[in-house]
Amino acid sequence: MTRRADDTGRDARAQMNLPALAVALLVLVSTLGVALTLADGAFAGTDRQPEERRVAVALAERLVAADAAHTARGNVVNASALGAVDIDGRFPVVGDHEVRVRLDDRTVLRRGDATGGVTVRRVVLVRREPRVERTPPLADNATTLPRRTASVTLDIAAGPNVTTVRANDRVVLHDPGGLAGAYTVRTSRFETLRLAFAADRPVEQGDVAVTYRPARTTKATLAVTVDA
């Protein structure tokens, strides 16, 4: 049978395309091999320290929990109380791992020498309650504190014969014979505190000393490092 010219041309073109197809397949296989190698390396890097990461995540969550003794509420930590936390007694999840906990650039907790390992970071609020002592001026036998507080200590002099103390119109101290000395009063940290005094003469600056701990919060990064 005589082959037509166009059939012969197609066979020739097909034979010429075979080397190009082989090269394309080789490039595809090589690219796939490199991609699989890179993916395997990425997964290996991710799973290289799974136990340390699990412990670091669990410890970070417990350190900012709302029901923790060293937090004011969820994600708000008390700076001084956090530094006194017993890692071994409070957090069995740590096991035998070495741990370092930092607030920004300051180490607040350490167990062992955690120089490597895995670090988990959380943005938190740090609550501090500095002690403030004032002998405030009193206008009409009253004064308003500039910062809210959960309690206040009043040191009342005997001179003005103060008989009643009100906190925001609520009677918190009363003695018809006169109040003199130091008294601690619970107040609401959710409202501004106004103290008013009833006495047999005007109460002047210096007759009452006020001590309180206003809460201040600042943003910080909590970094938990766990090493083997």
Side-chain angles (χ1 to χ4, degrees):
M1 176 182 290
T2 304
R3 301 183 63 183
R4 291 182 302 175
D6 56 347
D7 292 338
T8 302
R10 280 196 295 270
D11 291 344
R13 286 194 298 272
Q15 291 176 359
M16 292 176 62
N17 287 335
L18 284 176
L21 178 61
V23 171
L25 288 174
L26 179 61
V27 171
L28 177 62
V29 171
S30 299
T31 302
L32 182 60
V34 171
L36 289 175
T37 300
L38 292 174
D40 181 67
F43 282 117
T46 301
D47 297 336
R48 190 171 295 135
Q49 298 164 311
E51 176 64 14
E52 286 84 353
R53 182 168 296 279
R54 180 189 70 82
V55 173
V57 170
L59 180 56
E61 290 178 350
R62 285 161 173 76
L63 287 174
V64 299
D67 59 351
H70 55 273
T71 59
R73 58 185 184 274
N75 219 47
V76 181
V77 299
N78 185 300
S80 57
L82 178 61
V85 167
D86 178 10
I87 294 179
D88 292 321
R90 296 289 304 279
F91 305 110
V93 68
V94 170
D96 296 328
H97 292 87
E98 297 179 336
V99 174
R100 183 179 71 246
V101 178
R102 294 172 63 85
L103 277 175
D104 286 339
D105 58 352
R106 183 169 63 93
T107 298
V108 293
L109 287 173
R110 180 186 293 276
R111 180 185 186 226
D113 186 22
T115 56
V118 172
T119 298
V120 172
R121 292 176 174 83
R122 299 278 298 261
V123 176
V124 300
L125 291 177
V126 179
R127 179 186 176 99
R128 294 180 173 84
E129 296 180 347
R131 178 186 173 91
V132 177
E133 297 182 20
R134 301 180 67 228
T135 52
L138 293 104
D140 297 325
N141 288 7
T143 185
T144 300
L145 299 188
R147 304 280 300 187
R148 297 175 182 179
T149 181
S151 66
V152 62
T153 298
L154 304 174
D155 194 346
I156 304 173
N161 193 30
V162 174
T163 56
T164 304
V165 178
R166 288 181 171 84
N168 295 337
D169 297 326
R170 178 175 61 93
V171 174
V172 292
L173 295 173
H174 178 71
D175 187 343
L179 296 165
Y183 304 86
T184 297
V185 176
R186 300 292 300 176
T187 58
S188 173
R189 64 182 178 87
F190 299 108
E191 59 184 2
T192 301
L193 179 61
R194 182 178 185 272
L195 296 168
F197 305 88
D200 61 4
R201 69 168 175 80
V203 183
E204 301 176 351
Q205 185 171 10
D207 287 336
V208 178
V210 180
T211 302
Y212 62 107
R213 293 182 178 273
R216 293 181 172 87
T217 57
T218 55
K219 186 183 294 186
T221 299
L222 179 77
V224 179
T225 299
V226 175
D227 204 352

